[in-house]
Amino acid sequence: MASGRKLPTIPQADVQSHNTPESCYVTIGTKVYDVTEFAADHPGGSHLIHDWVGKDVSEIMQDEVSHTHTEAAYEILDDCLIGFVATDAVMDAVTSSDQPDEIVPLPPSANGTAELKANGVAHGPDSSDKVVYAATGMSSAEDLSKETDASNDYKQHKFIDLNKPMLMQVWNGGFSKAFYLEQIHRPRHYPGGQSAPLFGNFLEPLSKTPWWVVPTVWWPPVFYLSFVVSQSLSPIPLALYWIVGLCIWTIVEYGLHRFLFHIDSVLPDNRVCLTLHFLLHGIHHYLPMDRLRLVMPPTLFVVLATPFYFLATNVFWYDWNAAMAVYCGGIFGYTCYDMTHYFLHHKNLPAYYRELKKYHLQHHFADYENGFGVTSRFWDRVFKTELPPPKVLKTT
């Protein structure tokens, strides 16, 4: 960076002292980054960053077991660069160099960087080629957390100004369906990790749902109704009907995501349908890392769950208790889906779920026309919608 010499050189002890959630510094080579604010938006969860505060993260960011970071991750770090640290290895290189002024003061010149590299000392992350996917204009999962400059984004795309309530902009925008779909599938991220305004009035809180609301609201009635039907069903039939409900939910999950949430190809081209689409799922693809708009508000799920109540009672018409056991299993399956969806976006997970996380985030940053399974790839494999290698727009 041309203006790099204006940044300070920070003593190594000072870097190591910034090792708390309230003040998080990390380094890559000689570069020092303040990631305190970014930690909350880290796709794998803030605790992963907090495990490495005050330390060099070069190796962990290239570790294939945990997650190899792409060029986009390093671009995000560039925004957090606050200075440089002269490590012991750097000072050893300075001591043995014929041209120490090429290395210090930091950052080093091109010759100094080459000399550091020859001595096995990294100055900072290496740049590498990156791909841009045609469907979304993004390169990686890290791009989903890269903050959008709301003013510049609006000037460039003339779609939605994230600084203003979004709903009426969609309603009054006069957007064609093709333009609307192109824009919502090119994700943005609201600055500061907050939620962009949707209504801009007293309705705003109704659009935000923390993940824990889902089990808090739905598990008590599910378990109570299961207890009620257990008075008429023995444990084995009750468990089997519950499992049937869970299995039915998996295909419902796939069907809703593919044929309702992604109704893109048959979506009528008028502002009523575009606005409804935006409220139902478009906003999630537009702002996929919004923590408070990842799970379904209880009021909306009541609307979607009501038809399934009547479906259960009609399919299992011969026994109301059996129908309710199936229904409870299905509702429990939904809660697991919604929480899994949140965790895939915002938490570090065990090995199986890490693969699922990569799969689902690829649906957002690379190919939204495939990969509709959230809790499992099973139905994607059955219906041939498993994510293929995404189409590359260009290499930069």
Side-chain angles (χ1 to χ4, degrees), residues 246-257 379 383:
L246 281 170
C247 293
I248 290 175
W249 166 256
T250 64
I251 185 64
V252 169
E253 170 197 317
Y254 176 87
L256 284 175
H257 195 184
W379 293 112
F383 293 111

Side-chain angles (χ1 to χ4, degrees), residues 8-28:
T9 296
I10 303 170
Q12 192 164 11
D14 283 1
V15 174
Q16 293 170 345
S17 70
H18 289 268
N19 59 1
T20 67
E22 291 73 33
S23 184
C24 308
Y25 286 9
V26 298
T27 65
I28 297 181

Side-chain angles (χ1 to χ4, degrees), residues 37-357:
E37 294 184 2
F38 171 69
D41 295 322
H42 184 250
S46 61
H47 64 286
L48 283 183
I49 289 182
H50 294 158
D51 287 344
W52 287 87
V53 290
K55 303 175 184 177
D56 189 287
V57 296
S58 302
E59 291 187 9
I60 191 63
M61 288 189 70
Q62 298 174 25
D63 181 22
E64 295 183 0
V65 175
S66 60
H67 173 57
T68 301
H69 292 71
T70 64
E71 181 71 14
Y74 295 105
E75 290 178 0
I76 293 173
L77 277 178
D78 282 342
D79 295 332
C80 303
L81 181 66
I82 59 168
F84 305 92
V85 58
T87 63
D88 292 340
V90 171
M91 296 313 298
D92 288 343
V94 170
T95 302
S96 61
S97 174
D98 294 331
Q99 296 178 303
D101 58 315
E102 294 287 336
I103 301 176
V104 291
L106 295 169
S109 66
N111 290 336
T113 299
E115 188 168 349
L116 286 175
K117 189 173 182 180
N119 282 277
V121 182
H123 165 54
D126 291 332
S127 60
S128 58
D129 290 343
K130 64 176 181 177
V131 298
V132 177
Y133 298 116
T136 65
M138 294 200 143
S139 299
S140 68
E142 285 80 11
D143 277 344
L144 299 174
S145 295
K146 191 171 184 179
E147 289 187 355
T148 300
D149 184 320
S151 297
N152 288 339
D153 183 70
Y154 181 70
K155 288 178 183 178
Q156 179 180 354
H157 297 288
K158 297 295 188 294
F159 181 51
I160 290 176
D161 184 346
L162 289 174
N163 290 319
K164 300 176 181 178
M166 295 181 288
L167 181 65
M168 295 311 296
Q169 293 185 72
V170 177
W171 178 260
N172 294 320
F175 307 127
S176 69
K177 172 182 146 179
F179 177 74
Y180 163 80
L181 291 175
E182 176 188 2
Q183 289 300 314
I184 64 163
H185 291 304
R186 290 181 174 266
R188 276 74 163 180
H189 185 56
Y190 194 66
Q194 303 300 311
S195 295
L198 179 60
F199 296 105
N201 55 33
F202 67 95
L203 294 174
E204 195 71 27
L206 298 179
S207 72
K208 301 175 182 179
T209 309
W211 72 266
W212 49 262
V213 168
V214 172
T216 301
V217 169
W218 296 113
W219 282 2
V222 164
F223 292 135
Y224 174 74
L225 187 54
S226 298
F227 170 76
V228 170
V229 300
S230 72
Q231 306 306 300
S232 301
L233 293 175
S234 58
I236 292 179
L238 174 62
L240 290 175
Y241 280 124
W242 242 73
I243 292 172
V244 168
L246 281 170
C247 293
I248 290 175
W249 166 256
T250 64
I251 185 64
V252 169
E253 170 197 317
Y254 176 87
L256 284 175
H257 195 184
R258 180 178 180 182
F259 298 111
L260 179 62
F261 299 163
H262 283 273
I263 196 175
D264 301 9
S265 61
V266 294
L267 182 67
D269 193 353
N270 62 67
R271 69 177 184 175
V272 173
C273 292
L274 296 187
T275 303
L276 289 174
H277 181 273
F278 185 76
L279 288 173
L280 185 63
H281 197 60
I283 189 174
H284 175 54
H285 271 263
Y286 190 61
L287 296 161
M289 302 306 286
D290 186 333
R291 293 172 176 271
L292 297 179
R293 294 194 176 112
L294 264 170
V295 300
M296 198 174 296
T299 49
L300 178 58
F301 183 66
V302 167
V303 174
L304 293 177
T306 300
F308 296 113
Y309 170 84
F310 292 106
L311 177 64
T313 53
N314 279 281
V315 172
F316 298 91
W317 54 268
Y318 56 86
D319 189 334
W320 183 87
N321 292 293
M324 290 303 96
V326 170
Y327 189 62
C328 286
I331 299 299
F332 183 77
Y334 150 72
T335 65
C336 293
Y337 149 79
D338 236 355
M339 290 189 295
T340 298
H341 189 204
Y342 178 87
F343 295 151
L344 293 182
H345 278 260
H346 287 291
K347 298 293 183 183
N348 189 39
L349 300 164
Y352 167 77
Y353 286 100
R354 284 202 297 270
E355 291 303 312
L356 206 57
K357 179 188 183 86

